[in-house]
Amino acid sequence: MNTQDDIDIIVSEVGPRDGLQSIQRSMPTPMKHRWIAALAHSGLREIEVGSFVSPKRLPQMADAAEVVGEAVKLSGVTILALVPNLKGAERAFAAGARKVTVPVSASRAHSIKNIGKTPEEAVAEVKAICAMRDADPRQVRPGVEVGISTAFGCTMEGPISEDWVIALAERLAEAGADSIGLSDTTGYANPAQVKRLFRRLRRTIGEKAGGGHFHNTRGQGLANVVAALEADVTTFDSSQGGLGGCPYAPGASGNIVTEDLVFLLESMGLRTGVDIERLIAARGEIAAGLPGETLYGHLPDAGLPKGFLPAASRKRSLA
Amino acid sequence: MNTQDDIDIIVSEVGPRDGLQSIQRSMPTPMKHRWIAALAHSGLREIEVGSFVSPKRLPQMADAAEVVGEAVKLSGVTILALVPNLKGAERAFAAGARKVTVPVSASRAHSIKNIGKTPEEAVAEVKAICAMRDADPRQVRPGVEVGISTAFGCTMEGPISEDWVIALAERLAEAGADSIGLSDTTGYANPAQVKRLFRRLRRTIGEKAGGGHFHNTRGQGLANVVAALEADVTTFDSSQGGLGGCPYAPGASGNIVTEDLVFLLESMGLRTGVDIERLIAARGEIAAGLPGETLYGHLPDAGLPKGFLPAASRKRSLA
């Protein structure tokens, strides 16, 4: 849920986590610092900077504690980290993360393959993380958000029961999660389903209904964002330059592209707080840290439309 | 307006016109025939097969009469041609086209540059075309549809007044056009604007409100389709393989991709009549007719989701 007064929508940048973990080589730690600082400088309010998983499994994320420790010094931005379990959450909070995001898969097959746990065991892990959060000595309690992955379908199981996704969200809310969002991990979601499922999520768990995490595997990413906006979703994950790509085709990025998402929202009159020129400039830090890496996105190449005004300045001119 | 009972949305394929006219080399006429036949075989209900303009200006379209003459032999599909003026419409009807589409630009600067006429002069031309239509001796009267180009913004003029777009649509309806659609020629449209303008169009000209023609220049094409669906638009133009341009390159057409559009609609439960496998197979005819030409689209590379059911079979299983 978005509670920031000067913006309408939170764009939660996941490139330093989801993008970097999807490519084979590692970005050097000082380059990560520079990129994250440039992203924060563009006005993004949330950045997911790393993943506290085994460095054997994801060596690109081995420096997560160091990256978080540096990123939390930036002002005006909430620093998130992905954690698969209690141990990861301990490390993330110790490093200073203000919020952790825990993936819980709705697909039983995907859950077992991905984290070696059933969805029910994953809910128990979230409960343990929330207990740790409640015992956190810091003045401002850190946040625990959950993203229900494969919420719109699974490459192993195919369609996923919507009743089950909602029941899982309820259990996660009872377990103490601050917000529960829905992730289209596999690029299976369609706008009708997105609108229906997010509306039902809000009816069921109210203010704990979280954001949307869409992939662009089949080109439907921003179409799904429009549908989610119809269901009053106010937080969206995206990755600068669609970093991390997609195993499929040229142009078929994995995560939706932050530049195109911000342009979509701002052109609709929805304030993101992001300065598009600065956001585009931040792409240079990826080019510096990962020379030759393919970046995606239409807006950076097409440029802004003639006479384009960001949402905030249009609102000011109406005031 | 869609009046076909067994489908919910008309996907109007414009690749053989908008796609082919946007690239420098020409597809040989027999290859056009094969491609158009393959598109019709996939179940598409409308195909815009050529443009009756000066062959000096667009040599790729010099065979328009021959292409129309062959295409109208195909059953179950309406064959359209683009015509810039009365002379073009005469040639199109003589060739057997069932419907002509006339571009009328809302931007004065664009209109003069593109067709050497003011928007008011273009309306007069539409009126003359409609008079000719009314005198057509064929049993089934041919159709005259207008697409208002630069309806959402113009690279020369910047923002375009929405009041003016609606006033222009009213004049075109009075001039006798059967339907008036809105075209985002420049990739400037955003979903909020699309929903607002199409709703207003329908309130103003009722059943004459036509379809949406979106470009993907800034990656917003399918997002705008979702917004138009919210405004009850039932016809959308698109181009197979996004033929005719990398959406990134300056001047490229960047039509939305038919394969991704059909997937969007079918996955939402909206029947298009199109068999996706056959549609993807038709790409082979482009490869044969224009070897090496780049094709776009996410779905052809990613494939259908596991357990995917087209809209018609889902409706049947519910019946």
Side-chain angles (χ1 to χ4, degrees), chain A residues 154-159 187-188 190-192 195 216-220 222-223 226-227 230 248-253 260-261 263-264 267-268 296-299 301-307 314, chain B residues 154-159 187-192 195 216-220 222-224 226-227 230 247-248 260-261 263-265 267-269 297-299 301-307 314:
Chain A
C154 170
T155 47
M156 286 182 271
E157 292 193 5
Y188 274 29
N190 73 71
K195 190 170 159 182
N216 203 34
T217 320
R218 289 172 181 80
Q220 316 289 315
L222 294 188
V226 173
E230 293 277 341
Y248 303 111
S253 62
D260 292 350
L261 172 66
F263 173 66
L264 172 81
S267 66
M268 292 178 76
Y296 301 96
H298 290 70
L299 183 77
D301 293 300
L304 288 167
K306 181 173 181 175
R314 276 185 281 166
Chain B
C154 170
T155 46
M156 286 180 272
E157 292 194 6
Y188 274 30
N190 73 72
K195 188 170 159 183
N216 203 34
T217 320
R218 290 172 181 80
Q220 317 288 315
L222 296 187
N224 285 326
V226 172
E230 293 277 342
Y248 307 156
D260 292 349
L261 172 66
F263 173 66
L264 172 81
L265 296 167
S267 66
M268 291 178 76
H298 290 70
L299 183 76
D301 292 299
L304 289 167
K306 181 173 182 175
R314 275 185 282 166

Coordinates of all heavy atoms in Angstrom, one line a residue, chain A residues 154-159 187-188 190-192 195 216-220 222-223 226-227 230 248-253 260-261 263-264 267-268 296-299 301-307 314, chain B residues 154-159 187-192 195 216-220 222-224 226-227 230 247-248 260-261 263-265 267-269 297-299 301-307 314:
Chain A
C154 N 1.7 -21.4 -13.7 CA 3.1 -22.0 -13.5 C 3.5 -22.8 -14.6 O 2.7 -23.6 -15.2 CB 2.9 -22.8 -12.2 SG 4.4 -23.9 -11.8
T155 N 4.8 -22.8 -15.0 CA 5.3 -23.6 -16.1 C 5.2 -25.0 -15.8 O 5.2 -25.9 -16.7 CB 6.7 -23.2 -16.4 OG1 7.5 -23.1 -15.2 CG2 6.8 -21.8 -17.1
M156 N 5.2 -25.4 -14.5 CA 5.1 -26.8 -14.2 C 3.7 -27.3 -14.0 O 3.3 -28.3 -14.5 CB 5.9 -27.1 -12.9 CG 7.4 -27.1 -13.1 SD 8.3 -27.5 -11.6 CE 8.5 -25.8 -10.9
E157 N 2.9 -26.5 -13.3 CA 1.5 -26.9 -13.0 C 0.5 -26.4 -13.9 O -0.7 -26.8 -13.9 CB 1.1 -26.5 -11.5 CG 1.9 -27.2 -10.5 CD 1.3 -27.1 -9.1 OE1 0.3 -26.4 -8.9 OE2 2.0 -27.5 -8.1
G158 N 0.8 -25.4 -14.8 CA -0.2 -24.8 -15.6 C -1.1 -23.8 -14.8 O -0.5 -23.1 -13.9
P159 N -2.4 -23.8 -15.1 CA -3.2 -22.8 -14.3 C -3.2 -23.1 -12.8 O -3.1 -24.2 -12.4 CB -4.6 -23.1 -14.9 CG -4.4 -23.8 -16.2 CD -3.1 -24.5 -16.1
G187 N 5.2 -15.0 -16.7 CA 4.6 -14.3 -17.9 C 3.3 -14.9 -18.4 O 3.1 -14.9 -19.6
Y188 N 2.5 -15.5 -17.5 CA 1.2 -16.1 -17.8 C 0.0 -15.2 -17.7 O -1.1 -15.5 -18.1 CB 1.0 -17.4 -17.0 CG 1.7 -18.6 -17.5 CD1 2.9 -18.6 -18.2 CD2 1.1 -19.9 -17.2 CE1 3.5 -19.8 -18.6 CE2 1.7 -21.1 -17.6 CZ 2.9 -21.0 -18.3 OH 3.5 -22.2 -18.7
N190 N -3.0 -12.5 -17.6 CA -3.7 -11.6 -18.6 C -4.4 -10.5 -17.8 O -4.7 -10.7 -16.6 CB -4.6 -12.4 -19.5 CG -5.8 -12.9 -18.8 OD1 -6.7 -12.2 -18.5 ND2 -5.8 -14.2 -18.5
P191 N -4.8 -9.4 -18.5 CA -5.4 -8.3 -17.8 C -6.7 -8.6 -17.1 O -6.9 -8.1 -16.0 CB -5.5 -7.2 -18.9 CG -4.5 -7.6 -19.9 CD -4.4 -9.1 -19.9
A192 N -7.5 -9.5 -17.7 CA -8.8 -9.8 -17.0 C -8.5 -10.5 -15.7 O -9.2 -10.2 -14.7 CB -9.6 -10.6 -18.0
K195 N -7.0 -8.0 -13.0 CA -8.0 -7.1 -12.4 C -8.8 -7.9 -11.4 O -9.1 -7.5 -10.3 CB -8.8 -6.5 -13.5 CG -9.8 -5.4 -13.1 CD -10.4 -4.8 -14.4 CE -11.7 -4.1 -14.1 NZ -12.2 -3.5 -15.4
N216 N 7.5 -9.6 -18.6 CA 7.0 -9.3 -20.0 C 7.3 -10.4 -21.0 O 7.3 -10.1 -22.2 CB 7.7 -8.0 -20.4 CG 7.0 -7.2 -21.5 OD1 5.7 -7.3 -21.5 ND2 7.7 -6.6 -22.4
T217 N 7.3 -11.6 -20.5 CA 7.7 -12.7 -21.3 C 6.9 -12.8 -22.6 O 7.4 -13.2 -23.7 CB 7.4 -14.0 -20.5 OG1 7.8 -13.8 -19.2 CG2 8.2 -15.2 -21.1
R218 N 5.6 -12.5 -22.5 CA 4.7 -12.6 -23.7 C 4.2 -11.2 -24.1 O 3.2 -11.1 -24.7 CB 3.5 -13.6 -23.4 CG 4.0 -15.0 -23.4 CD 3.0 -16.0 -23.0 NE 3.7 -17.4 -23.0 CZ 4.5 -17.8 -22.0 NH1 4.7 -17.1 -21.0 NH2 5.1 -19.0 -22.1
G219 N 5.0 -10.2 -23.7 CA 4.7 -8.8 -24.1 C 3.5 -8.2 -23.4 O 3.0 -7.1 -23.9
Q220 N 3.0 -8.8 -22.4 CA 1.7 -8.3 -21.7 C 2.0 -7.5 -20.4 O 1.0 -7.2 -19.7 CB 0.8 -9.5 -21.4 CG 0.7 -10.6 -22.5 CD 0.0 -10.2 -23.7 OE1 -1.1 -9.6 -23.6 NE2 0.5 -10.4 -24.9
L222 N 3.0 -4.3 -19.4 CA 2.3 -3.0 -19.2 C 0.8 -3.1 -19.3 O 0.1 -2.4 -18.6 CB 2.9 -2.0 -20.1 CG 4.4 -1.6 -19.8 CD1 4.8 -0.4 -20.7 CD2 4.7 -1.4 -18.4
A223 N 0.3 -4.0 -20.2 CA -1.1 -4.3 -20.3 C -1.7 -4.7 -18.9 O -2.7 -4.3 -18.4 CB -1.4 -5.3 -21.3
V226 N -1.9 -1.8 -16.4 CA -3.2 -1.0 -16.6 C -4.3 -1.7 -15.9 O -5.2 -1.1 -15.3 CB -3.4 -0.8 -18.1 CG1 -4.8 -0.1 -18.3 CG2 -2.4 0.1 -18.7
A227 N -4.4 -3.0 -16.1 CA -5.5 -3.8 -15.4 C -5.4 -3.7 -13.9 O -6.4 -3.5 -13.2 CB -5.5 -5.2 -15.9
E230 N -6.7 -0.5 -12.5 CA -8.1 -0.5 -12.5 C -8.6 -1.2 -11.1 O -9.7 -0.9 -10.7 CB -8.7 -1.3 -13.6 CG -8.5 -0.7 -15.0 CD -9.6 0.4 -15.3 OE1 -10.7 0.4 -14.6 OE2 -9.3 1.3 -16.2
Y248 N 14.3 -16.3 -24.0 CA 13.6 -16.5 -25.3 C 14.2 -15.6 -26.3 O 15.2 -15.9 -27.0 CB 12.1 -16.3 -25.1 CG 11.5 -17.2 -24.1 CD1 11.0 -16.7 -22.9 CD2 11.4 -18.6 -24.3 CE1 10.4 -17.5 -22.0 CE2 10.9 -19.4 -23.4 CZ 10.3 -18.9 -22.2 OH 9.8 -19.7 -21.3
A249 N 13.6 -14.4 -26.5 CA 13.8 -13.7 -27.8 C 14.5 -12.4 -27.5 O 14.5 -11.8 -26.4 CB 12.5 -13.5 -28.5
P250 N 15.1 -11.8 -28.6 CA 15.6 -10.4 -28.5 C 14.4 -9.6 -28.2 O 13.4 -9.7 -28.9 CB 16.2 -10.1 -29.9 CG 16.2 -11.4 -30.6 CD 15.3 -12.4 -29.9
G251 N 14.5 -8.7 -27.2 CA 13.4 -7.8 -26.9 C 12.5 -8.4 -25.9 O 11.6 -7.7 -25.4
A252 N 12.6 -9.7 -25.6 CA 11.7 -10.3 -24.7 C 12.3 -10.2 -23.3 O 12.9 -11.2 -22.9 CB 11.3 -11.7 -25.1
S253 N 12.2 -9.1 -22.6 CA 12.8 -9.0 -21.3 C 12.0 -9.8 -20.3 O 10.9 -10.1 -20.5 CB 12.9 -7.5 -20.9 OG 11.6 -7.0 -20.8
D260 N 9.9 2.3 -19.2 CA 8.6 2.3 -19.9 C 7.5 2.3 -18.9 O 6.4 3.0 -19.2 CB 8.5 1.0 -20.8 CG 9.5 1.0 -22.0 OD1 10.1 2.1 -22.2 OD2 9.6 0.0 -22.6
L261 N 7.6 1.7 -17.7 CA 6.6 1.8 -16.7 C 6.4 3.2 -16.2 O 5.3 3.7 -16.0 CB 7.0 0.8 -15.5 CG 6.1 0.9 -14.3 CD1 4.7 0.5 -14.6 CD2 6.7 0.1 -13.1
F263 N 7.2 6.0 -17.6 CA 6.6 6.8 -18.7 C 5.1 6.5 -18.8 O 4.2 7.4 -18.9 CB 7.2 6.5 -20.1 CG 6.5 7.2 -21.2 CD1 6.5 8.5 -21.3 CD2 5.8 6.4 -22.1 CE1 5.8 9.2 -22.3 CE2 5.1 7.0 -23.2 CZ 5.1 8.4 -23.3
L264 N 4.7 5.2 -18.7 CA 3.2 4.9 -18.7 C 2.5 5.6 -17.6 O 1.5 6.3 -17.8 CB 3.1 3.4 -18.5 CG 1.6 2.9 -18.3 CD1 0.9 2.7 -19.6 CD2 1.6 1.5 -17.5
S267 N 2.6 9.5 -17.9 CA 1.8 10.0 -19.0 C 0.3 9.9 -18.7 O -0.5 10.6 -19.2 CB 2.1 9.3 -20.3 OG 1.8 8.0 -20.2
M268 N 0.0 9.0 -17.8 CA -1.4 8.9 -17.3 C -1.8 9.9 -16.2 O -2.9 9.9 -15.7 CB -1.7 7.4 -16.8 CG -1.6 6.3 -17.8 SD -1.9 4.7 -17.1 CE -3.7 4.7 -16.8
Y296 N 16.9 -3.3 -22.4 CA 15.7 -3.2 -23.1 C 15.0 -1.9 -22.8 O 15.4 -1.1 -22.0 CB 14.8 -4.4 -22.8 CG 15.5 -5.7 -23.2 CD1 16.2 -6.5 -22.2 CD2 15.5 -6.2 -24.5 CE1 16.9 -7.6 -22.6 CE2 16.2 -7.3 -24.9 CZ 16.8 -8.1 -23.9 OH 17.5 -9.2 -24.2
G297 N 13.8 -1.7 -23.4 CA 13.0 -0.5 -23.2 C 12.8 0.3 -24.4 O 13.7 0.4 -25.2
H298 N 11.6 0.7 -24.6 CA 11.3 1.5 -25.8 C 11.5 3.0 -25.6 O 12.1 3.7 -26.4 CB 9.8 1.4 -26.1 CG 9.5 0.0 -26.7 ND1 9.5 -1.1 -25.9 CD2 9.1 -0.4 -27.9 CE1 9.1 -2.2 -26.6 NE2 8.9 -1.8 -27.9
L299 N 11.2 3.5 -24.4 CA 11.3 5.0 -24.2 C 12.7 5.5 -24.3 O 12.9 6.6 -24.9 CB 10.7 5.3 -22.8 CG 10.7 6.8 -22.6 CD1 9.6 7.5 -23.3 CD2 10.7 7.2 -21.1
D301 N 15.0 4.8 -26.3 CA 15.3 5.0 -27.7 C 14.4 6.0 -28.4 O 14.8 6.8 -29.2 CB 15.3 3.7 -28.4 CG 16.4 2.8 -27.9 OD1 17.6 3.2 -28.1 OD2 16.1 1.7 -27.4
A302 N 13.1 5.9 -28.1 CA 12.1 6.8 -28.8 C 12.1 8.2 -28.2 O 11.8 9.2 -28.9 CB 10.7 6.2 -28.7
G303 N 12.5 8.4 -26.9 CA 12.5 9.7 -26.3 C 11.1 10.1 -25.9 O 10.1 9.4 -26.2
L304 N 11.0 11.1 -25.1 CA 9.7 11.6 -24.6 C 9.0 12.3 -25.8 O 9.6 12.9 -26.7 CB 9.9 12.6 -23.5 CG 10.4 12.0 -22.2 CD1 10.9 13.1 -21.2 CD2 9.3 11.2 -21.5
P305 N 7.6 12.2 -25.8 CA 6.8 12.9 -26.8 C 7.0 14.4 -26.7 O 7.3 14.9 -25.6 CB 5.4 12.6 -26.4 CG 5.5 11.3 -25.5 CD 6.8 11.4 -24.8
K306 N 6.8 15.1 -27.8 CA 6.9 16.5 -27.8 C 5.8 17.1 -26.9 O 4.7 16.8 -27.0 CB 6.7 17.0 -29.3 CG 6.8 18.5 -29.4 CD 6.7 19.0 -30.9 CE 6.8 20.5 -31.0 NZ 6.9 20.9 -32.4
G307 N 6.3 18.1 -26.1 CA 5.3 18.7 -25.2 C 4.9 17.9 -24.0 O 4.0 18.2 -23.2
R314 N 1.8 18.8 -14.2 CA 0.5 19.0 -14.6 C -0.5 19.2 -13.5 O -1.4 20.0 -13.5 CB 0.0 17.7 -15.4 CG 0.4 17.8 -16.9 CD -0.1 16.6 -17.7 NE 0.6 15.4 -17.4 CZ 0.2 14.2 -17.8 NH1 -0.9 14.0 -18.3 NH2 1.0 13.2 -17.6
Chain B
C154 N 1.0 14.7 -31.8 CA 1.7 14.8 -33.1 C 3.2 15.2 -32.9 O 3.5 16.1 -32.1 CB 1.0 15.9 -33.9 SG 1.8 16.3 -35.4
T155 N 4.0 14.6 -33.7 CA 5.5 14.9 -33.5 C 5.7 16.4 -34.0 O 6.7 17.0 -33.5 CB 6.3 14.0 -34.4 OG1 5.7 13.9 -35.7 CG2 6.4 12.6 -33.8
M156 N 4.9 17.0 -34.8 CA 5.0 18.4 -35.2 C 4.4 19.3 -34.2 O 4.9 20.3 -33.8 CB 4.5 18.6 -36.6 CG 5.5 18.0 -37.7 SD 4.9 18.2 -39.4 CE 3.8 16.8 -39.6
E157 N 3.1 19.0 -33.9 CA 2.3 20.0 -33.1 C 2.3 19.7 -31.6 O 1.9 20.5 -30.8 CB 0.9 20.0 -33.6 CG 0.7 20.6 -35.0 CD -0.8 20.9 -35.3 OE1 -1.7 20.8 -34.4 OE2 -1.0 21.3 -36.4
G158 N 2.8 18.5 -31.2 CA 2.7 18.1 -29.8 C 1.3 17.7 -29.4 O 0.6 17.1 -30.2
P159 N 0.8 18.1 -28.2 CA -0.5 17.7 -27.8 C -1.6 18.2 -28.8 O -1.4 19.3 -29.4 CB -0.7 18.4 -26.4 CG 0.7 18.6 -26.0 CD 1.5 18.9 -27.2
G187 N 2.7 7.1 -31.5 CA 3.1 6.4 -30.3 C 3.1 7.4 -29.1 O 3.9 7.3 -28.2
Y188 N 2.2 8.3 -29.1 CA 2.1 9.3 -28.0 C 1.0 9.0 -27.0 O 0.9 9.5 -25.9 CB 1.7 10.7 -28.5 CG 2.9 11.5 -29.0 CD1 4.1 10.9 -29.5 CD2 2.9 12.9 -29.0 CE1 5.1 11.7 -30.0 CE2 3.9 13.7 -29.4 CZ 5.1 13.1 -29.9 OH 6.1 13.8 -30.4
A189 N 0.1 8.1 -27.3 CA -1.1 7.8 -26.5 C -0.8 7.2 -25.1 O 0.2 6.4 -25.0 CB -2.1 7.0 -27.2
N190 N -1.6 7.5 -24.1 CA -1.5 6.8 -22.8 C -2.8 6.3 -22.5 O -3.9 6.8 -23.0 CB -0.9 7.7 -21.7 CG -1.9 8.8 -21.3 OD1 -2.9 8.5 -20.6 ND2 -1.7 10.1 -21.7
P191 N -2.9 5.2 -21.6 CA -4.2 4.6 -21.4 C -5.3 5.5 -20.8 O -6.4 5.3 -21.2 CB -3.8 3.5 -20.4 CG -2.3 3.2 -20.7 CD -1.7 4.5 -21.1
A192 N -4.9 6.4 -20.0 CA -6.0 7.3 -19.4 C -6.6 8.1 -20.5 O -7.9 8.2 -20.6 CB -5.3 8.2 -18.4
K195 N -8.8 5.8 -22.9 CA -10.1 5.5 -22.3 C -11.1 6.7 -22.4 O -12.2 6.5 -22.8 CB -9.9 5.0 -20.9 CG -11.1 4.4 -20.2 CD -10.6 3.8 -18.8 CE -11.7 3.7 -17.8 NZ -11.2 3.1 -16.6
N216 N 3.5 1.0 -31.2 CA 4.2 0.6 -29.9 C 5.5 1.3 -29.8 O 6.4 0.9 -29.1 CB 4.5 -0.9 -30.0 CG 4.7 -1.5 -28.6 OD1 4.0 -1.1 -27.7 ND2 5.5 -2.5 -28.5
T217 N 5.6 2.5 -30.3 CA 6.8 3.3 -30.3 C 7.4 3.4 -28.9 O 8.7 3.3 -28.8 CB 6.5 4.7 -30.8 OG1 5.6 4.6 -31.9 CG2 7.8 5.4 -31.3
R218 N 6.6 3.6 -27.9 CA 7.1 3.8 -26.6 C 6.7 2.6 -25.7 O 6.6 2.7 -24.4 CB 6.7 5.1 -26.0 CG 7.5 6.3 -26.7 CD 7.0 7.6 -26.3 NE 7.8 8.6 -27.1 CZ 7.6 8.9 -28.3 NH1 6.6 8.4 -29.0 NH2 8.4 9.8 -29.0
G219 N 6.4 1.5 -26.3 CA 6.1 0.2 -25.6 C 4.7 0.2 -24.9 O 4.4 -0.7 -24.1
Q220 N 3.8 1.2 -25.3 CA 2.5 1.3 -24.6 C 1.4 0.7 -25.4 O 0.2 0.9 -25.0 CB 2.2 2.8 -24.3 CG 3.4 3.6 -23.8 CD 3.8 3.2 -22.4 OE1 2.9 3.1 -21.5 NE2 5.1 3.0 -22.1
L222 N -0.1 -2.4 -26.2 CA -1.1 -3.3 -25.6 C -1.7 -2.7 -24.3 O -2.8 -2.9 -24.0 CB -0.5 -4.6 -25.3 CG 0.0 -5.4 -26.5 CD1 0.4 -6.8 -26.1 CD2 -1.1 -5.5 -27.6
A223 N -0.9 -1.8 -23.6 CA -1.5 -1.1 -22.5 C -2.7 -0.2 -22.9 O -3.7 -0.2 -22.3 CB -0.5 -0.3 -21.8
N224 N -2.5 0.4 -24.1 CA -3.6 1.2 -24.7 C -4.7 0.4 -25.1 O -5.9 0.8 -25.1 CB -3.0 2.1 -25.8 CG -2.2 3.2 -25.3 OD1 -2.5 3.8 -24.2 ND2 -1.1 3.6 -26.0
V226 N -5.8 -2.3 -23.7 CA -6.6 -2.7 -22.4 C -7.5 -1.5 -22.0 O -8.6 -1.7 -21.7 CB -5.6 -3.0 -21.3 CG1 -6.4 -3.2 -20.0 CG2 -4.9 -4.3 -21.6
A227 N -6.9 -0.3 -22.2 CA -7.7 0.9 -21.8 C -8.9 1.1 -22.8 O -10.0 1.4 -22.4 CB -6.8 2.1 -21.9
E230 N -11.7 -1.1 -22.0 CA -12.5 -0.5 -20.9 C -13.6 0.5 -21.5 O -14.6 0.7 -20.8 CB -11.6 0.2 -19.9 CG -10.7 -0.7 -19.1 CD -11.4 -1.4 -17.9 OE1 -12.5 -0.9 -17.5 OE2 -10.9 -2.4 -17.4
P247 N 10.3 -0.7 -33.4 CA 9.7 0.4 -32.8 C 10.7 1.4 -32.2 O 10.4 2.5 -31.9 CB 8.9 -0.2 -31.6 CG 9.4 -1.6 -31.5 CD 10.0 -2.0 -32.8
Y248 N 12.0 1.1 -32.2 CA 13.0 2.0 -31.6 C 13.4 3.0 -32.7 O 13.7 4.2 -32.3 CB 14.2 1.2 -31.2 CG 14.0 0.1 -30.3 CD1 14.9 -0.9 -30.2 CD2 12.9 0.0 -29.5 CE1 14.7 -2.0 -29.3 CE2 12.7 -1.1 -28.6 CZ 13.6 -2.1 -28.6 OH 13.4 -3.1 -27.7
D260 N 0.9 -10.9 -30.5 CA 0.8 -10.6 -29.1 C -0.6 -10.0 -28.8 O -1.1 -10.2 -27.7 CB 1.9 -9.5 -28.7 CG 3.3 -10.1 -28.8 OD1 3.4 -11.3 -28.9 OD2 4.2 -9.3 -28.7
L261 N -1.2 -9.3 -29.7 CA -2.6 -8.8 -29.5 C -3.6 -9.9 -29.4 O -4.4 -9.9 -28.5 CB -2.9 -7.8 -30.7 CG -4.4 -7.3 -30.7 CD1 -4.7 -6.5 -29.5 CD2 -4.7 -6.6 -32.0
F263 N -3.0 -13.0 -28.6 CA -2.8 -13.7 -27.3 C -3.4 -12.9 -26.2 O -4.1 -13.5 -25.3 CB -1.3 -13.9 -27.1 CG -1.0 -14.5 -25.7 CD1 -1.5 -15.7 -25.4 CD2 -0.4 -13.7 -24.8 CE1 -1.2 -16.3 -24.1 CE2 -0.2 -14.2 -23.5 CZ -0.6 -15.5 -23.2
L264 N -3.2 -11.6 -26.2 CA -3.8 -10.7 -25.1 C -5.3 -11.0 -25.0 O -5.9 -11.3 -24.0 CB -3.5 -9.3 -25.4 CG -4.2 -8.2 -24.5 CD1 -3.5 -8.1 -23.2 CD2 -4.4 -6.9 -25.1
L265 N -6.0 -10.8 -26.2 CA -7.4 -10.9 -26.2 C -7.9 -12.3 -25.9 O -8.8 -12.5 -25.0 CB -7.9 -10.5 -27.6 CG -7.6 -9.0 -28.0 CD1 -7.8 -8.8 -29.5 CD2 -8.4 -8.0 -27.2
S267 N -6.5 -14.6 -24.2 CA -6.2 -15.0 -22.8 C -7.1 -14.3 -21.9 O -7.4 -14.8 -20.8 CB -4.7 -14.7 -22.5 OG -4.5 -13.3 -22.5
M268 N -7.7 -13.1 -22.3 CA -8.7 -12.4 -21.5 C -10.1 -13.0 -21.7 O -11.1 -12.6 -21.1 CB -8.8 -11.0 -21.9 CG -7.5 -10.2 -21.5 SD -7.6 -8.4 -22.1 CE -8.8 -7.7 -20.9
G269 N -10.2 -14.1 -22.6 CA -11.5 -14.7 -22.8 C -12.3 -14.0 -23.9 O -13.5 -14.2 -24.0
G297 N 7.6 -9.5 -31.8 CA 6.6 -10.2 -31.1 C 7.2 -11.1 -30.1 O 8.2 -11.8 -30.3
H298 N 6.5 -11.1 -28.9 CA 7.0 -11.9 -27.8 C 6.4 -13.4 -27.9 O 7.1 -14.3 -27.6 CB 6.6 -11.3 -26.5 CG 7.4 -10.1 -26.1 ND1 7.2 -8.9 -26.8 CD2 8.3 -9.8 -25.2 CE1 8.0 -8.0 -26.3 NE2 8.7 -8.5 -25.4
L299 N 5.2 -13.5 -28.2 CA 4.5 -14.8 -28.1 C 5.1 -15.8 -29.0 O 5.3 -17.0 -28.6 CB 3.0 -14.6 -28.4 CG 2.3 -16.0 -28.3 CD1 2.1 -16.3 -26.8 CD2 1.0 -16.0 -29.1
D301 N 8.1 -16.4 -29.8 CA 9.3 -16.9 -29.2 C 9.0 -17.6 -27.9 O 9.6 -18.7 -27.6 CB 10.3 -15.8 -29.0 CG 10.8 -15.3 -30.4 OD1 11.4 -16.2 -31.1 OD2 10.6 -14.2 -30.7
A302 N 8.1 -17.0 -27.1 CA 7.9 -17.6 -25.7 C 6.9 -18.8 -25.8 O 7.0 -19.7 -25.0 CB 7.3 -16.5 -24.8
G303 N 6.1 -18.8 -26.8 CA 5.1 -19.9 -26.9 C 3.9 -19.7 -26.0 O 3.9 -18.8 -25.1
L304 N 2.9 -20.5 -26.2 CA 1.7 -20.4 -25.4 C 1.9 -20.9 -24.0 O 2.7 -21.8 -23.8 CB 0.5 -21.1 -26.0 CG -0.1 -20.5 -27.3 CD1 -1.0 -21.5 -28.0 CD2 -0.8 -19.2 -26.9
P305 N 1.3 -20.4 -22.9 CA 1.4 -20.9 -21.6 C 0.9 -22.4 -21.5 O 0.0 -22.8 -22.3 CB 0.5 -20.0 -20.7 CG 0.3 -18.8 -21.5 CD 0.4 -19.2 -23.0
K306 N 1.4 -23.1 -20.6 CA 1.0 -24.5 -20.3 C -0.5 -24.5 -19.9 O -0.9 -23.7 -19.1 CB 1.8 -25.1 -19.2 CG 1.4 -26.5 -18.9 CD 2.4 -27.2 -17.9 CE 2.0 -28.6 -17.7 NZ 2.9 -29.3 -16.8
G307 N -1.3 -25.3 -20.6 CA -2.7 -25.4 -20.3 C -3.6 -24.3 -20.9 O -4.7 -24.1 -20.5
R314 N -13.1 -22.1 -24.1 CA -13.5 -21.8 -22.7 C -15.0 -21.5 -22.6 O -15.7 -22.0 -21.7 CB -12.7 -20.7 -22.1 CG -11.3 -21.2 -21.5 CD -10.6 -20.1 -20.9 NE -9.9 -19.2 -21.8 CZ -9.4 -18.0 -21.5 NH1 -9.5 -17.6 -20.3 NH2 -8.8 -17.3 -22.5

